[in-house]
Protein backbone atom coordinates (compact mmCIF):
# COMPACT_ATOMS: atom_id res chain seq x y z
CA UNK A 1 0.00 0.00 0.00
CA UNK A 2 1.26 3.51 -0.85
CA UNK A 3 2.22 5.99 1.89
CA UNK A 4 -0.50 8.40 0.71
CA UNK A 5 -3.09 5.65 1.22
CA UNK A 6 -1.71 4.58 4.60
CA UNK A 7 -1.94 8.05 6.13
CA UNK A 8 -5.65 8.23 5.27
CA UNK A 9 -6.45 5.35 7.61
CA UNK A 10 -8.99 6.61 10.24
CA UNK A 11 -7.51 4.21 12.82
CA UNK A 12 -4.00 5.61 12.30
CA UNK A 13 -5.22 9.20 12.63
CA UNK A 14 -7.14 8.46 15.84
CA UNK A 15 -4.17 6.66 17.37
CA UNK A 16 -1.84 9.52 16.40
CA UNK A 17 -4.18 11.96 18.11
CA UNK A 18 -4.14 9.86 21.31
CA UNK A 19 -0.35 9.47 21.21
CA UNK A 20 0.22 13.21 20.78
CA UNK A 21 -2.22 13.97 23.61
CA UNK A 22 -0.69 11.52 26.10
CA UNK A 23 2.93 12.34 25.35
CA UNK A 24 2.37 16.10 25.42
CA UNK A 25 0.60 15.72 28.77
CA UNK A 26 3.90 14.57 30.32
CA UNK A 27 6.16 16.95 28.39
CA UNK A 28 7.11 14.58 25.58
CA UNK A 29 6.94 14.97 21.81
CA UNK A 30 5.68 11.46 21.09
CA UNK A 31 8.23 10.30 18.51
CA UNK A 32 8.54 6.82 20.03
CA UNK A 33 4.76 6.49 19.81
CA UNK A 34 4.61 7.81 16.23
CA UNK A 35 7.38 5.43 15.18
CA UNK A 36 5.58 2.51 16.83
CA UNK A 37 2.36 3.30 14.98
CA UNK A 38 4.10 3.78 11.66
CA UNK A 39 5.87 0.45 12.07
CA UNK A 40 2.51 -1.23 12.78
CA UNK A 41 1.10 0.26 9.59
CA UNK A 42 4.19 -0.88 7.66
CA UNK A 43 5.54 2.53 6.67
CA UNK A 44 9.07 2.43 5.20
CA UNK A 45 11.97 3.48 7.44
CA UNK A 46 12.79 6.35 5.06
CA UNK A 47 9.35 7.82 5.83
CA UNK A 48 9.34 7.08 9.57
CA UNK A 49 12.48 8.86 10.82
CA UNK A 50 12.01 12.36 9.31
CA UNK A 51 8.24 12.31 9.88
CA UNK A 52 8.62 11.42 13.56
CA UNK A 53 11.18 14.19 14.04
CA UNK A 54 8.93 16.84 12.46
CA UNK A 55 5.88 15.77 14.49
CA UNK A 56 8.09 15.68 17.57
CA UNK A 57 9.23 19.26 17.02
CA UNK A 58 5.66 20.52 16.83
CA UNK A 59 4.26 18.66 19.84
CA UNK A 60 7.26 19.24 22.13
CA UNK A 61 7.15 22.98 21.35
CA UNK A 62 3.48 23.11 22.29
CA UNK A 63 4.05 21.08 25.44
CA UNK A 64 6.98 23.27 26.49
CA UNK A 65 4.89 26.42 26.03
CA UNK A 66 2.24 25.23 28.47
CA UNK A 67 4.73 24.02 31.07
CA UNK A 68 6.79 27.22 30.74
CA UNK A 69 3.64 29.28 31.21
CA UNK A 70 3.02 27.42 34.45
CA UNK A 71 6.58 28.39 35.54
CA UNK A 72 7.81 24.80 35.69
CA UNK A 73 10.94 25.25 33.56
CA UNK A 74 14.43 25.61 35.08
CA UNK A 75 17.28 26.64 32.78
CA UNK A 76 19.98 25.34 35.14
CA UNK A 77 18.48 21.86 34.88
CA UNK A 78 18.22 22.01 31.09
CA UNK A 79 21.47 23.41 29.71
CA UNK A 80 23.92 20.68 30.89
CA UNK A 81 21.98 18.07 28.90
CA UNK A 82 21.52 20.31 25.86
CA UNK A 83 25.20 21.29 25.53
CA UNK A 84 26.19 17.76 24.55
CA UNK A 85 22.90 16.39 23.22
CA UNK A 86 22.49 18.89 20.35
CA UNK A 87 25.78 18.13 18.53
CA UNK A 88 25.46 14.40 19.15
CA UNK A 89 21.87 14.42 17.91
CA UNK A 90 23.08 16.08 14.70
CA UNK A 91 25.71 13.36 14.37
CA UNK A 92 23.17 10.60 14.93
CA UNK A 93 20.74 12.18 12.48
CA UNK A 94 23.38 12.25 9.76
CA UNK A 95 23.95 8.50 10.00
CA UNK A 96 21.99 5.80 8.20
CA UNK A 97 21.87 2.30 9.64
CA UNK A 98 20.57 -1.00 8.30
CA UNK A 99 16.81 -1.54 8.62
CA UNK A 100 17.23 -4.61 10.85
CA UNK A 101 19.51 -2.79 13.30
CA UNK A 102 17.19 0.23 13.27
CA UNK A 103 14.22 -1.96 14.22
CA UNK A 104 16.12 -3.59 17.10
CA UNK A 105 17.21 -0.22 18.53
CA UNK A 106 13.72 1.23 18.13
CA UNK A 107 12.09 -1.79 19.77
CA UNK A 108 14.47 -1.50 22.73
CA UNK A 109 13.65 2.20 23.16
CA UNK A 110 9.94 1.37 22.96
CA UNK A 111 10.39 -1.09 25.85
CA UNK A 112 11.72 1.84 27.83
CA UNK A 113 8.67 3.87 26.80
CA UNK A 114 6.27 1.10 27.89
CA UNK A 115 7.92 0.86 31.30
CA UNK A 116 7.60 4.62 31.68
CA UNK A 117 3.95 4.65 30.63
CA UNK A 118 2.87 1.97 33.11
CA UNK A 119 4.86 3.55 35.94
CA UNK A 120 7.51 0.86 36.45
CA UNK A 121 10.20 3.48 36.97
CA UNK A 122 10.78 7.19 36.85
CA UNK A 123 8.75 8.07 39.93
CA UNK A 124 9.51 11.24 41.83
CA UNK A 125 11.84 10.94 44.81
CA UNK A 126 11.03 12.68 48.05
CA UNK A 127 14.29 14.60 48.49
CA UNK A 128 15.71 16.53 45.54
CA UNK A 129 19.47 16.78 44.91
CA UNK A 130 21.62 19.29 43.01
CA UNK A 131 22.31 18.28 39.43
CA UNK A 132 25.67 16.60 38.77
CA UNK A 133 27.01 18.58 35.78
CA UNK A 134 29.59 16.05 34.44
CA UNK A 135 27.07 13.22 34.66
CA UNK A 136 24.40 15.37 32.99
CA UNK A 137 26.80 16.18 30.13
CA UNK A 138 27.46 12.48 29.58
CA UNK A 139 23.77 11.57 29.72
CA UNK A 140 22.95 14.33 27.25
CA UNK A 141 25.53 13.06 24.76
CA UNK A 142 24.30 9.45 24.90
CA UNK A 143 20.61 10.33 24.63
CA UNK A 144 21.30 12.94 21.95
CA UNK A 145 23.14 10.49 19.70
CA UNK A 146 20.45 7.84 20.10
CA UNK A 147 17.75 10.44 19.43
CA UNK A 148 19.21 11.55 16.12
CA UNK A 149 20.01 8.00 15.05
CA UNK A 150 16.46 6.63 15.22
CA UNK A 151 14.38 9.81 15.04
CA UNK A 152 13.22 10.54 18.58
CA UNK A 153 13.74 13.48 20.93
CA UNK A 154 15.02 11.50 23.90
CA UNK A 155 12.57 12.81 26.48
CA UNK A 156 11.13 9.35 27.08
CA UNK A 157 14.58 8.44 28.45
CA UNK A 158 15.65 11.75 29.99
CA UNK A 159 12.54 12.38 32.07
CA UNK A 160 12.71 9.16 34.15
CA UNK A 161 16.48 9.51 34.50
CA UNK A 162 16.05 12.97 36.03
CA UNK A 163 13.43 11.62 38.40
CA UNK A 164 15.46 8.54 39.35
CA UNK A 165 18.49 10.71 40.14
CA UNK A 166 16.32 13.04 42.21
CA UNK A 167 17.25 16.20 40.29
CA UNK A 168 13.70 17.54 39.81
CA UNK A 169 10.04 16.86 40.49
CA UNK A 170 7.62 15.49 37.90
CA UNK A 171 6.43 18.82 36.48
CA UNK A 172 9.90 20.35 36.21
CA UNK A 173 11.33 17.22 34.60
CA UNK A 174 8.47 17.33 32.08
CA UNK A 175 9.23 20.97 31.23
CA UNK A 176 12.96 20.26 30.78
CA UNK A 177 12.22 17.16 28.69
CA UNK A 178 9.89 19.12 26.40
CA UNK A 179 12.59 21.64 25.42
CA UNK A 180 15.23 18.89 25.34
CA UNK A 181 13.09 16.99 22.84
CA UNK A 182 12.58 20.10 20.74
CA UNK A 183 16.26 21.01 20.37
CA UNK A 184 17.32 17.40 19.79
CA UNK A 185 14.63 16.84 17.16
CA UNK A 186 15.60 20.03 15.32
CA UNK A 187 19.28 19.06 15.44
CA UNK A 188 18.56 15.47 14.38
CA UNK A 189 16.43 16.67 11.47
CA UNK A 190 19.19 19.04 10.29
CA UNK A 191 21.64 16.15 10.49
CA UNK A 192 19.28 14.00 8.41
CA UNK A 193 18.83 16.71 5.77
CA UNK A 194 22.57 17.48 5.68
CA UNK A 195 23.17 13.99 4.27
CA UNK A 196 20.60 14.40 1.49
CA UNK A 197 17.53 13.21 3.38
CA UNK A 198 14.17 14.78 2.53
CA UNK A 199 10.86 15.08 4.33
CA UNK A 200 8.08 13.06 2.64
CA UNK A 201 5.46 15.55 1.38
CA UNK A 202 2.62 13.18 2.26
CA UNK A 203 3.53 13.40 5.97
CA UNK A 204 2.31 17.01 6.08
CA UNK A 205 -1.28 15.80 6.37
CA UNK A 206 -0.46 14.24 9.75
CA UNK A 207 0.53 17.57 11.26
CA UNK A 208 -3.00 18.83 11.94
CA UNK A 209 -3.86 15.67 13.87
CA UNK A 210 -0.87 15.80 16.19
CA UNK A 211 -1.22 19.55 16.68
CA UNK A 212 -4.72 19.06 18.10
CA UNK A 213 -3.54 16.23 20.35
CA UNK A 214 -0.45 18.17 21.42
CA UNK A 215 -2.36 21.33 22.33
CA UNK A 216 -4.94 19.43 24.41
CA UNK A 217 -2.32 17.24 26.07
CA UNK A 218 0.01 20.12 26.86
CA UNK A 219 -2.80 22.20 28.36
CA UNK A 220 -4.30 19.51 30.58
CA UNK A 221 -0.96 17.88 31.45
CA UNK A 222 0.52 21.14 32.72
CA UNK A 223 -2.43 21.38 35.10
CA UNK A 224 -3.52 18.22 36.90
CA UNK A 225 -4.81 15.22 35.03
CA UNK A 226 -4.89 11.45 35.52
CA UNK A 227 -4.65 9.59 32.22
CA UNK A 228 -3.29 6.27 33.49
CA UNK A 229 -5.99 4.18 31.80
CA UNK A 230 -5.21 5.74 28.42
CA UNK A 231 -1.50 5.29 29.04
CA UNK A 232 -2.06 1.59 29.69
CA UNK A 233 -3.87 1.31 26.36
CA UNK A 234 -1.01 3.08 24.61
CA UNK A 235 1.47 0.77 26.34
CA UNK A 236 -0.41 -2.20 24.85
CA UNK A 237 -0.18 -0.66 21.37
CA UNK A 238 3.57 -0.14 21.86
CA UNK A 239 4.00 -3.76 22.97
CA UNK A 240 2.34 -4.93 19.77
CA UNK A 241 4.68 -2.71 17.76
CA UNK A 242 7.68 -4.05 19.70
CA UNK A 243 6.68 -7.63 18.90
CA UNK A 244 6.36 -6.76 15.21
CA UNK A 245 9.73 -4.98 15.14
CA UNK A 246 11.53 -7.89 16.79
CA UNK A 247 9.91 -10.50 14.54
CA UNK A 248 10.13 -8.85 11.11
Amino acid sequence: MLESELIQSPLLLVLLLIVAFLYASVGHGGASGYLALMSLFAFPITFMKPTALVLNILVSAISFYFYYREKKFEWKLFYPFAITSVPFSFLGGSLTIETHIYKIILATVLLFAVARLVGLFGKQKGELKPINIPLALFIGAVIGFLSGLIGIGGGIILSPVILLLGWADIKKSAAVSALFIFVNSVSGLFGFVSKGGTLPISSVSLIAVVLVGGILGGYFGSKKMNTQMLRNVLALVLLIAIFKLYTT
Side-chain angles (χ1 to χ4, degrees):
M1 187 178 294
L2 298 176
E3 294 166 9
S4 57
E5 296 175 344
L6 286 170
I7 62 176
Q8 293 175 10
S9 167
L11 178 59
L12 172 63
L13 297 178
V14 170
L15 290 174
L16 279 173
L17 179 69
I18 294 173
V19 167
F21 176 86
L22 291 176
Y23 276 72
S25 71
V26 293
H28 296 162
S32 57
Y34 308 141
L35 289 170
L37 291 178
M38 286 188 280
S39 68
L40 282 175
F41 282 81
F43 281 93
I45 301 298
T46 52
F47 179 93
M48 290 168 57
K49 180 175 176 177
T51 299
L53 285 171
V54 170
L55 298 181
N56 222 28
I57 290 169
L58 295 172
V59 176
S60 61
I62 293 168
S63 181
F64 175 71
Y65 166 76
F66 284 110
Y67 276 97
Y68 184 82
R69 193 176 67 170
E70 293 293 318
K71 303 186 186 305
K72 303 299 182 182
F73 178 73
E74 285 192 3
W75 173 256
K76 64 181 181 181
L77 184 63
F78 166 75
Y79 82 85
F81 298 109
I83 287 175
T84 51
S85 72
V86 170
F88 274 90
S89 181
F90 181 90
L91 175 62
S94 67
L95 299 177
T96 301
I97 56 178
E98 294 181 5
T99 299
H100 177 66
I101 297 176
Y102 178 91
K103 288 183 177 181
I104 292 176
I105 297 174
L106 175 57
T108 303
V109 172
L110 290 180
L111 282 172
F112 201 95
V114 169
R116 178 73 176 94
L117 285 168
V118 300
L120 293 182
F121 59 83
K123 294 182 179 179
Q124 181 176 327
K125 289 190 174 183
E127 184 178 349
L128 298 181
K129 305 174 184 177
I131 184 172
N132 182 317
I133 301 296
L135 180 57
L137 291 170
F138 174 75
I139 292 171
V142 173
I143 298 178
F145 179 76
L146 182 61
S147 299
L149 187 66
I150 65 174
I152 64 173
I156 198 68
I157 302 174
L158 179 65
S159 182
V161 167
I162 290 176
L163 294 173
L164 285 169
L165 293 173
W167 290 346
D169 60 26
I170 292 175
K171 295 294 184 183
K172 289 182 179 179
S173 68
V176 167
S177 293
L179 188 57
F180 181 82
I181 291 166
F182 177 81
V183 297
N184 279 336
S185 297
V186 170
S187 181
L189 187 61
F190 271 110
F192 175 78
V193 173
S194 72
K195 293 300 180 179
T198 57
L199 174 66
I201 300 300
S202 55
S203 66
V204 174
S205 60
L206 303 178
I207 291 176
V209 174
V210 301
L211 280 178
V212 172
I215 291 171
L216 293 175
Y219 174 77
F220 288 107
S222 63
K223 307 292 183 180
K224 184 178 181 181
M225 180 185 60
N226 187 352
T227 58
Q228 191 57 53
M229 183 178 73
L230 288 175
R231 291 181 193 178
N232 290 339
V233 173
L234 176 57
L236 177 61
V237 173
L238 295 186
L239 284 172
I240 296 172
I242 291 168
F243 176 77
K244 182 177 179 181
L245 287 167
Y246 275 134
T247 57
T248 58

